[in-house]
Amino acid sequence: MPAPVLRAAILVVSTTASKDPSTDAAGPALQSVFETDGDGKWSVTATQIVSDDEEQIKTQILAWTDPKNKVDEQVNLIVTTGGTGFAISDITPEVVAALIEKPAPGLVHGMLAASLQVTPFSVMSRPVAGMRGRTILVTLPGSPKGAKENLQAIIKMLPHACVLAAGMDSRALHSGGVKKLEKEAGVSAAAHTHSHAHGHSHGHGHGHGHGHSHGHGHGHGLVRHETPSDTPSTSRLVSNDPSLGPTRRNRASPFPMISVDEALGRIEEFTPDHRRVEKPVDEELVGHVLAEDVYAAEDVPAFRASIVDGYAVVVPTTKDSQDTKEPSGTFSGIFPVVAVSHAEPGDEEAARVLSAGEIARITTGAPLPIGANAVVMVESTTLVSKTDDGTEEKEIEIRAANVHDGDNVREIGSDVRKGQIVMRKGDKITAVGGEVGLLISAGVQRVLVCRRPVVGVLSTGNEIVDHRTGLSDRLRLGQVRDTNRPTLLLAAKEWGFETVDLGVAEDQPGELEQHLRDALRRVDVVVTTGGVSMGELDLLKPTIERTLGGTIHFGRVSMKPGKPTTFATVTVKEAVTAAPEAPATERNVRPIFALPGNPASALVTFHLFVLPALHKMAGESTRGLSKVPVALSHDYVLDKERPEYHRAVVSVGAQDGVLRATSTGGQRSSKVGSMHTANALLCMPAGAAPLKAGAKVDALLMGSIRSGQ
Ligand code: AMP
Ligand code: MG
């Protein structure tokens, strides 16, 4: 029986080699092992280089093990090289383990045993081996020498394993027992120090392997690795399963990195629309956006009122004046003062009827006597005679030109007419624009507005010390004072939102869940900080997704600071009536922003992502910080990969009126002080070279612009 030619693929896992394939020496080293030690049984049909990236490794392996519609591209053996050490970026064994359906610890033992003969440092390799479908997967170390020696340790045994794995006829292979296998492979128990153990595990594998092509462990007492459908990245749930422990978690974030614009788009899409609420017209209305057009309930003024202090008169109408010899508009003569009208309600004399030739003293804003049609200012008059007691005017002389019907009179409804629109849906009630006064003056008592969301802020972390209760305590090793909660509560308040202090949650799944459930009952938007990095205590994403059944819309953003910013929504049932006999409920969507723990990151991402969502829920048409172009006042070093939101002070030049931005200094995300004095976030692009002084960038304004020199 001619030896079958087995198809092998080599996967080089190296971020360096993926950028410059010429640096790869491990791939060629393995190729030569197949050629020189493979007894002509192997054909290396593919070699690929990927970086230390879960997705890339997985995608390439799956292309070889599960090729779509191309069974002939399926390979018998995949050896990976690289990423098996203890460095943080070393993830190959975990990625491969997640793909393995049947582990083959014997191959691992074989490799380790052989390489321990060479160096005790072999314990620093963490190989895995096993089967996926008909393919055998083996991870080899990244050093060309180590990779070569490990492959050499097992290559003689591999053809047999591959033949069985591929489901080829193995009866003939079996008939001679282990001895025959050893002979065929050119190995023997005596020649191979560790082949005794090998022989056993082989035999065992044979006994159980047939007929059980998938899914079962081999009774070795080993924990079977996850099948791909159970791994986080291929199921609907993306977050890490905290119960898996550190060795089986994703070592790189399973969330795709998206751009800031894309993140803002998702926030806009998934943040619920504003809800409407009726409110009385008073100072509490400030900050709200109207949810309806508002009509004047009354005329303003409600009566004919004088605009000046003076005398209400009856001037001839245009028709009357044609009969006189006086030039049109001249109003002169001596008139008796028959009444006084003050700006006081219920003044009896105000109701008096004035006839032509009579006048009434009147104060600003007072109602005109019936019959009066104009007011002459006091400055255009002289006193002619007094009453007998000398306290009141009796007669007044008026000499005034250009007096016409309606002069100095505010007609009923001339400022605001009853039924007229005074404010429109979408208009904002400010504290400085007089909107509350306008509504009050128009007799509007209640208005429909967009409800302003209530924001809850929760800090997370076992190390976090409450700023109220623990402020005077000396910090123990590892403890950190809670700066994020007070900072974000104050920022939210400053932007006009009601806030709820949700305290600190420890990094324990149950505790976090309890805090979040409680928060979802009490507030409209939950903002948390911490617990979104890649550490084992970073439980926010799994708790939101796996325990609360929420949807994570993004979990990683290409930005600095703030990369792990997470946005999710959870649907909650909410009672809409207080009546106990009719507990009607409504489904409501609550956004959760899980911001990074580093203080500068938390505040930057609050402004960048949380604020636009709050604005949307509050019905505001302009969302987030306003953007202005500014000139850099000095050179800025850029981040090579991610756009940066650089904390800066923007001031306006006193001479040239140009807006200039000066950095607040060190921008490390843990640095609380980088926000201090900042009134803007500069939108710096990613780039290798610094941006020069004078370059124009966009600035997002958090506070008012300073006056500069
Ligand atoms: P984490 O994302 O939880 O790993 O947090 C990242 C860093 O931010 C750690 O150094 C935390 O100690 C720190 N941190 C987290 N929460 C807060 C907080 N509320 N106040 C100050 N620092 C924090
Ligand atoms: Mg933490």
Side-chain angles (χ1 to χ4, degrees):
M1 188 172 62
V5 172
L6 298 166
R7 301 160 61 84
I10 301 171
L11 182 63
V12 179
V13 181
S14 160
T15 302
T16 319
S18 71
K19 289 182 187 139
D20 180 3
S22 70
T23 61
D24 171 40
L30 293 176
Q31 173 88 34
S32 81
V33 173
F34 281 112
E35 283 164 12
T36 54
D37 302 302
D39 302 323
K41 293 178 182 168
W42 298 97
S43 149
V44 176
T45 55
T47 300
Q48 288 292 337
I49 305 177
V50 295
S51 55
D52 294 287
D53 174 86
E54 183 191 8
E55 219 35 60
Q56 289 187 27
I57 299 170
K58 200 168 98 185
T59 307
Q60 184 53 64
I61 291 177
L62 288 176
W64 284 329
T65 57
D66 306 17
K68 287 203 181 67
N69 311 319
K70 290 184 196 160
V71 176
D72 56 347
E73 277 180 30
Q74 197 174 37
V75 299
N76 300 100
L77 173 70
I78 299 172
V79 290
T80 69
T81 164
T84 62
F86 284 75
I88 289 167
S89 61
D90 290 334
I91 57 168
T92 312
E94 285 62 45
V95 180
V96 174
L99 298 172
I100 284 175
E101 293 162 345
K102 297 180 181 177
L107 291 174
V108 172
H109 284 228
M111 288 191 291
L112 287 177
S115 46
L116 276 170
Q117 304 284 310
V118 180
T119 167
F121 272 95
S122 306
V123 298
M124 297 299 287
S125 180
R126 310 178 298 111
V128 297
M131 289 165 65
R132 178 181 178 84
R134 292 158 181 259
T135 307
I136 291 183
L137 309 173
V138 179
T139 67
L140 303 172
S143 82
K145 182 170 176 289
K148 185 176 159 197
E149 286 164 356
N150 275 270
L151 182 56
Q152 282 172 331
I154 55 171
I155 193 163
K156 303 289 185 200
M157 277 66 73
L158 282 173
H160 178 61
C162 287
V163 167
L164 292 173
M168 297 183 216
D169 183 12
S170 56
R171 248 166 237 286
L173 294 169
H174 266 180
S175 57
V178 175
K179 285 274 176 262
K180 180 164 178 272
L181 289 172
E182 285 181 358
K183 192 159 167 259
E184 271 180 22
V187 295
S188 72
H192 206 276
T193 348
H194 294 273
S195 65
H196 188 65
H198 252 177
H200 275 280
S201 70
H202 254 146
H204 201 101
H206 293 166
H208 293 263
H210 292 286
H212 295 269
S213 54
H214 287 285
H216 294 283
H218 286 216
H220 291 74
L222 291 171
V223 178
R224 196 174 67 79
H225 289 260
E226 299 272 352
T227 59
S229 63
D230 295 329
T231 59
S233 38
T234 47
S235 69
R236 195 185 68 78
L237 302 179
V238 184
S239 55
N240 273 315
D241 177 353
S243 67
L244 287 182
T247 52
R248 296 212 285 156
R249 275 198 324 265
N250 292 300
R251 302 196 78 80
S253 171
F255 290 89
M257 178 101 92
I258 64 170
S259 70
V260 169
D261 281 347
E262 206 172 325
L264 288 170
R266 291 190 195 176
I267 291 171
E268 175 69 25
E269 183 178 349
F270 295 107
T271 298
D273 267 324
H274 67 82
R275 290 210 256 159
R276 306 188 327 162
V277 64
E278 198 184 85
K279 291 214 159 250
V281 173
D282 57 26
E283 304 80 44
E284 299 290 303
L285 214 52
V286 168
H288 288 86
V289 171
L290 288 175
E292 60 173 1
D293 290 342
V294 179
Y295 300 89
E298 296 163 357
D299 283 316
V300 185
F303 52 89
R304 300 174 79 212
S306 174
I307 293 176
V308 295
D309 292 320
Y311 296 86
V313 300
V314 185
V315 296
T317 57
T318 323
K319 191 180 143 297
D320 299 337
S321 64
Q322 281 169 0
D323 305 335
T324 72
K325 292 170 198 72
E326 300 265 22
S328 168
T330 302
F331 188 81
S332 56
I334 294 172
F335 301 91
V337 180
V338 301
V340 178
S341 177
H342 291 139
E344 282 167 20
D347 193 333
E348 292 295 307
E349 285 189 284
R352 191 193 156 110
V353 178
L354 212 62
S355 311
E358 294 177 330
I359 64 172
R361 197 167 79 241
I362 191 164
T363 54
T364 304
L368 247 64
I370 295 162
N373 60 1
V375 179
V376 174
M377 288 167 76
V378 66
E379 291 88 339
S380 312
T381 66
T382 46
L383 179 67
V384 175
S385 60
K386 301 176 192 173
T387 52
D388 295 343
D389 62 4
T391 59
E392 274 291 347
E393 312 149 323
K394 193 170 168 197
E395 287 171 313
I396 293 293
E397 181 172 12
I398 297 177
R399 268 200 196 285
N402 281 327
V403 180
H404 296 106
D405 183 4
D407 277 359
N408 295 328
V409 176
R410 285 162 67 218
E411 291 295 339
I412 292 171
S414 60
D415 288 350
V416 176
R417 183 154 305 281
K418 180 175 173 179
Q420 164 196 335
I421 289 191
V422 281
M423 285 186 70
R424 293 194 183 273
K425 183 175 170 176
D427 287 350
K428 184 161 178 168
I429 316 279
T430 71
V432 291
E435 290 86 0
V436 173
L438 173 60
L439 294 173
I440 290 173
S441 79
V444 181
Q445 284 164 25
R446 299 182 73 80
V447 282
L448 261 188
V449 293
C450 305
R451 209 175 140 266
R452 291 192 65 80
V454 177
V455 189
V457 181
L458 175 72
S459 286
T460 72
N462 298 338
E463 78 280 27
I464 302 302
V465 177
D466 191 292
H467 65 292
R468 290 187 217 281
T469 57
L471 197 57
S472 57
D473 298 351
R474 256 187 65 196
L475 294 183
R476 286 183 284 119
L477 178 66
Q479 285 191 319
V480 172
R481 294 199 191 278
D482 186 359
T483 49
N484 293 343
R485 194 159 42 107
T487 301
L488 298 188
L489 285 168
L490 287 170
K493 210 171 276 172
E494 180 64 16
W495 288 105
F497 296 96
E498 193 184 316
T499 56
V500 173
D501 183 342
L502 297 170
V504 184
E506 286 188 11
D507 294 319
Q508 276 156 21
E511 158 123 8
L512 196 55
E513 177 192 348
Q514 215 34 60
H515 270 83
L516 288 174
R517 285 196 192 283
D518 171 56
L520 291 167
R521 270 193 293 273
R522 294 170 66 193
V523 301
D524 302 298
V525 179
V526 181
V527 179
T528 68
T529 63
V532 284
S533 320
M534 285 301 292
E536 58 214 75
L537 298 180
D538 292 331
L539 297 169
L540 253 300
K541 285 176 171 109
T543 304
I544 292 169
E545 195 177 52
R546 293 167 183 271
T547 316
L548 301 178
T551 307
I552 295 182
H553 301 295
F554 61 80
R556 220 159 37 127
V557 187
S558 175
M559 63 183 294
K560 186 185 169 184
K563 190 168 75 167
T565 303
T566 300
F567 166 61
T569 49
V570 178
T571 305
V572 295
K573 268 193 184 164
E574 203 180 2
V576 287
T577 154
E581 70 280 4
T585 56
E586 192 174 87
R587 291 196 161 277
N588 279 308
V589 172
R590 297 258 197 283
I592 300 182
F593 288 89
L595 307 182
N598 274 317
S601 315
L603 194 51
V604 167
T605 52
F606 173 85
H607 278 106
L608 219 57
F609 297 124
V610 183
L611 194 60
L614 296 178
H615 282 159
K616 179 177 182 192
M617 292 178 84
E620 307 212 18
S621 49
T622 46
R623 294 170 187 172
L625 299 173
S626 47
K627 202 183 249 186
V628 290
V630 298
L632 302 180
S633 66
H634 51 85
D635 292 359
Y636 281 72
V637 174
L638 302 179
D639 187 89
K640 287 187 187 59
E641 273 147 30
R642 288 176 281 157
E644 182 174 7
Y645 292 83
H646 198 112
R647 283 76 81 195
V649 180
V650 169
S651 51
V652 59
Q655 304 301 320
D656 55 13
V658 172
L659 296 178
R660 288 191 183 78
T662 306
S663 170
T664 55
Q667 299 286 303
R668 208 150 88 190
S669 54
S670 53
K671 233 181 129 168
V672 197
S674 67
M675 277 310 245
H676 162 68
T677 74
N679 61 355
L681 300 174
L682 303 182
C683 308
M684 305 303 254
L691 262 193
K692 294 285 174 202
K696 279 268 163 78
V697 299
D698 281 334
L700 294 165
L701 293 179
M702 295 183 293
S704 24
I705 293 171
R706 305 277 165 79
S707 34
Q709 288 110 35

